[in-house]
Amino acid sequence: MSKQQVNSAWPFPNGEDAQLTWIGEPFKQNSKFMMYVYFQGKGRTEKLLMDWGSLPLLAIQRFYKNGNFTSSKVHKNDETMEITLYPDHITRSERPWSIIGYPDKLKSRNFLFRHEGSVVMIPIIEVIRGILAPNRFLLYRLLESNSFPLYFVESLTRQQLHFDFSSSYHKKYTAPGFLNQLAWLFTNPDIKRMYDDIAFNLMTVGELSFDWRCEQPITVVARVQRRGNSILILEVLQVKNKQIHCDVISFTHPEIRETVQSNEPKLKRYRKLNGNGENDDITLDHEIDGSTEDFDLIQMNQLVHQYVFAPAIKKVKGNTVKQRTKEDESTKTLYIDSDYVRTTADSGGSSLVRGLEHQSLEDILVRGELQEFVNILKIMEQRDSVRSIQIIIDNLPEGLGERKFARLSDGITRRKYIVAKVDLDDGRYCNVVEIEREGKSLSTLILSSNQSIDWNKTLGSLLTNLVNDSGVWSSKSIKRIENKGIMFKKAKHVRRSIRGKEEYLFEKLWSIKLGNLKYS
């Protein structure tokens, strides 16, 4: 990734330097968090709309050219200084701000403190970018209220901090740099509170603001600009002396398991339709409604975080899985149209082409009512008449146009679904479909067939129709299922104990009587 250029649409002539003069606050547009970024060229200022996740690429008063965000230069008068931010001497300032040529009502929010007789000012946006949220995952959780439980459960015992990650937490974020940053947040309550305040203030006041709650001095190496007796921090380059209050960081993740070599052929292989490889340039496009799993801007800036003591990291592997290395005529080839257009949005519909992958129940950690459904399945899996249960968990498709049901009531969070593949001891398979309801009375759907069914395609169509029909299992959609030779039953959500709910669901599932079934 470091050899790739990251480009964007650019309003200035080729070869002309444009200085980044202002980074606006995040706001919601078309179910995504966006921001306006202002660049000043020769005689004019332009305002660009960018994804909030692009923040790691940006720094105040850097010069950019030709829309290339991985190559920029600084002003010749800028200095690099090491400055310590002492909590007892920090105050917050706020004043109106305007940009020539734009009527936008802006506010300059900064923290002020003293350093060797000078007044030092650091913009709030740079505290976020350089100190609190130096990667895309933390940038987006910063804008959400209490969303960490959707991605992991943490526990601190005897100086060991353990993270139990769910499948929603991307494996790449288990690298040491990401884990240390998480540990810094979760072992320092003052810093965690400061981080959490940002989402609260954004939701209640509508402003990107917070108080300095950090109780320990933080030393930064920064690019600065002097103005008389004042110093403006333009860009945090390095954060030093960070303290993590544990000796060991351990973690589990569904994708990290013990592997054994297998002579069995691969089930599938991936091939790109275009592109020359890792050096192909990337183009940013904020119009795309989602992010790709192989792209993260943290790899493009040189921000360094150092710790007084770096805890040992312990990876706890899950169940054994086969590692297939051979390919033969049975290996399916999946082609990915790699157009190298990316977005830095946190979620959405434009992602890498992939099939739906089953997971074991023990790997799953989800929110609210879906977790209760998983717990019901765990009880069901203990029955003698059930061989195994594997599930698919993913976001609902976007549907046609802007469909509200694809997202929860906040208009941002993607609504999830679960499909449970239940293998019964009499040879039957059933698919049980559960949707994140958020108060809606949407029944669980049970599907089965004695024919060979392309379940990926069938379920994809079913869920897309559900979104297009505003969250209703419509008779038209069900009729399409029946025409394919699939039997179905609806199971209402009953008010019973969790074991009572499991008994009710299993009774519905078992009552679908078919012959010798196939699953594909």
Side-chain angles (χ1 to χ4, degrees):
M1 182 68 73
S2 60
K3 297 180 181 179
Q4 291 173 310
Q5 290 187 8
V6 178
N7 306 305
S8 181
W10 194 241
F12 299 97
N14 284 338
E16 179 181 319
D17 289 329
Q19 187 181 51
L20 194 160
T21 61
W22 185 263
I23 300 174
E25 297 185 354
F27 61 92
K28 190 176 72 172
Q29 177 175 298
N30 296 330
S31 304
K32 295 198 301 178
F33 275 107
M34 312 293 293
M35 62 182 172
Y36 282 116
V37 184
Y38 298 79
F39 294 87
Q40 186 175 23
K42 294 181 179 179
R44 65 185 176 119
T45 300
E46 295 287 349
K47 180 171 69 172
L48 271 64
L49 181 63
M50 302 184 72
D51 291 308
W52 170 245
S54 302
L55 189 59
L57 284 176
L58 308 174
I60 297 294
Q61 296 193 27
R62 273 191 175 271
F63 291 90
Y64 297 83
K65 183 189 299 183
N66 302 335
N68 179 8
F69 286 101
T70 47
S71 178
S72 60
K73 60 183 181 181
V74 300
H75 196 278
K76 62 181 180 180
N77 293 329
D78 292 351
E79 302 178 32
T80 299
M81 293 181 60
E82 181 172 299
I83 303 174
T84 299
L85 288 64
Y86 292 98
D88 297 337
H89 302 94
I90 293 181
T91 59
R92 193 176 69 176
S93 72
E94 181 177 306
R95 60 192 176 98
W97 194 264
S98 61
I99 294 178
I100 297 175
Y102 287 92
D104 305 6
K105 295 181 179 180
L106 306 172
K107 286 186 178 180
S108 174
R109 296 188 176 93
N110 307 277
F111 289 108
L112 304 178
F113 57 98
R114 289 199 167 270
H115 174 77
E116 298 179 354
S118 297
V119 176
V120 179
M121 179 169 60
I122 179 170
I124 277 182
I125 196 77
E126 188 58 24
V127 175
I128 291 174
R129 192 197 73 86
I131 300 175
L132 291 179
N135 62 67
R136 193 172 55 162
F137 173 78
L138 289 176
L139 273 175
Y140 280 100
R141 304 297 80 74
L142 186 87
L143 305 181
E144 303 167 349
S145 181
N146 193 33
S147 64
F148 282 126
L150 306 181
Y151 299 91
F152 57 80
V153 173
E154 81 286 347
S155 57
L156 179 61
T157 56
R158 294 184 180 181
Q159 294 302 304
Q160 177 168 323
L161 177 62
H162 181 74
F163 292 105
D164 185 10
F165 293 115
S166 74
S167 56
S168 298
Y169 187 85
H170 201 285
K171 180 185 174 183
K172 68 187 173 188
Y173 291 127
T174 61
F178 297 111
L179 293 176
N180 285 334
Q181 181 70 18
L182 275 182
W184 184 62
L185 276 178
F186 280 88
T187 62
N188 289 278
D190 52 331
I191 297 170
K192 180 64 163 51
R193 185 183 176 189
M194 185 163 67
Y195 182 95
D196 292 339
D197 282 351
I198 298 173
F200 178 80
N201 291 337
L202 192 64
M203 293 174 62
T204 57
V205 186
E207 295 179 348
L208 191 71
S209 63
F210 56 96
D211 293 324
W212 189 271
R213 300 187 184 277
C214 183
E215 298 173 358
Q216 55 195 269
I218 294 180
T219 299
V220 299
V221 177
R223 179 172 60 89
V224 305
Q225 187 178 85
R226 291 184 183 270
R227 297 174 180 174
N229 195 40
S230 65
I231 299 174
L232 172 63
I233 293 180
L234 301 173
E235 180 182 7
V236 173
L237 304 173
Q238 185 175 344
V239 184
K240 307 174 80 172
N241 73 316
K242 294 174 66 175
Q243 298 183 36
I244 300 176
H245 300 289
C246 68
D247 296 330
V248 178
I249 302 171
S250 61
F251 70 93
T252 58
H253 190 280
E255 294 183 37
I256 299 177
R257 302 182 179 185
E258 291 285 354
T259 59
V260 294
Q261 296 291 327
S262 172
N263 290 324
E264 298 178 36
K266 291 182 179 180
L267 299 178
K268 54 193 172 184
R269 55 176 169 251
Y270 294 93
R271 298 287 185 268
K272 293 181 180 179
L273 289 177
N274 51 20
N276 298 319
E278 64 177 12
N279 294 328
D280 289 284
D281 293 344
I282 296 296
T283 299
L284 293 183
D285 186 353
H286 70 267
E287 296 292 343
I288 299 176
D289 191 29
S291 60
T292 53
E293 296 177 349
D294 66 341
F295 183 59
D296 200 299
L297 294 179
I298 189 61
Q299 302 177 53
M300 296 170 209
N301 67 19
Q302 302 300 315
L303 184 61
V304 176
H305 283 227
Q306 294 182 346
Y307 299 87
V308 175
F309 168 76
I313 294 178
K314 181 181 179 182
K315 183 189 304 182
V316 182
K317 296 183 179 181
N319 296 335
T320 300
V321 294
K322 296 177 180 179
Q323 184 178 28
R324 305 171 189 245
T325 57
K326 295 182 178 180
E327 297 180 3
D328 64 9
E329 64 278 359
S330 66
T331 302
K332 293 182 179 180
T333 301
L334 302 180
Y335 290 96
I336 301 172
D337 186 8
S338 185
D339 56 7
Y340 296 94
V341 177
R342 298 290 186 267
T343 174
T344 54
D346 184 56
S347 61
S350 179
S351 60
L352 290 179
V353 177
R354 59 179 176 80
L356 299 176
E357 300 290 345
H358 286 95
Q359 306 171 62
S360 62
L361 286 172
E362 64 184 32
D363 297 334
I364 303 305
L365 179 66
V366 286
R367 57 185 167 226
E369 59 202 17
L370 288 186
Q371 186 61 52
E372 181 185 66
F373 180 68
V374 170
N375 294 338
I376 290 172
L377 295 176
K378 288 180 179 179
I379 296 174
M380 186 181 296
E381 196 174 32
Q382 298 173 8
R383 288 179 176 267
D384 293 337
S385 54
V386 176
R387 291 176 179 171
S388 66
I389 299 178
Q390 291 184 306
I391 75 172
I392 295 166
I393 181 168
D394 207 344
N395 298 321
L396 280 179
E398 293 285 4
L400 298 175
E402 186 174 347
R403 299 289 176 167
K404 291 184 178 180
F405 188 73
R407 300 176 187 274
L408 299 182
S409 59
D410 61 9
I412 301 172
T413 308
R414 295 283 297 279
R415 190 183 300 273
K416 291 185 178 296
Y417 70 87
I418 289 178
V419 176
K421 173 188 170 185
V422 184
D423 180 4
L424 301 173
D425 66 347
D426 62 357
R428 289 183 294 143
Y429 289 95
C430 292
N431 279 313
V432 185
V433 184
E434 176 76 344
I435 310 297
E436 190 171 12
R437 291 171 286 124
E438 199 187 29
K440 297 181 181 293
S441 57
L442 182 65
S443 298
T444 303
L445 203 62
I446 304 170
L447 308 172
S448 194
S449 177
N450 61 355
Q451 302 178 25
S452 182
I453 301 294
D454 184 345
W455 284 108
N456 278 354
K457 183 177 180 180
T458 301
L459 292 169
S461 298
L462 177 70
L463 295 170
T464 299
N465 291 335
L466 174 69
V467 174
N468 291 337
D469 294 331
S470 301
V472 175
W473 298 121
S474 67
S475 57
K476 183 178 180 181
S477 181
I478 295 300
K479 189 67 176 177
R480 291 174 181 169
I481 293 293
E482 290 181 308
N483 289 341
K484 293 182 178 181
I486 298 173
M487 294 188 66
F488 79 94
K489 278 202 172 184
K490 293 181 181 179
K492 296 181 179 180
H493 293 92
V494 294
R495 293 185 177 181
R496 300 182 185 179
S497 66
I498 188 168
R499 290 196 175 273
K501 292 178 179 179
E502 185 275 336
E503 290 174 357
Y504 169 78
L505 181 61
F506 185 76
E507 181 182 338
K508 289 281 186 179
L509 184 150
W510 189 259
S511 63
I512 298 182
K513 295 294 184 182
L514 296 170
N516 295 325
L517 304 185
K518 301 177 182 179
Y519 194 97
S520 61

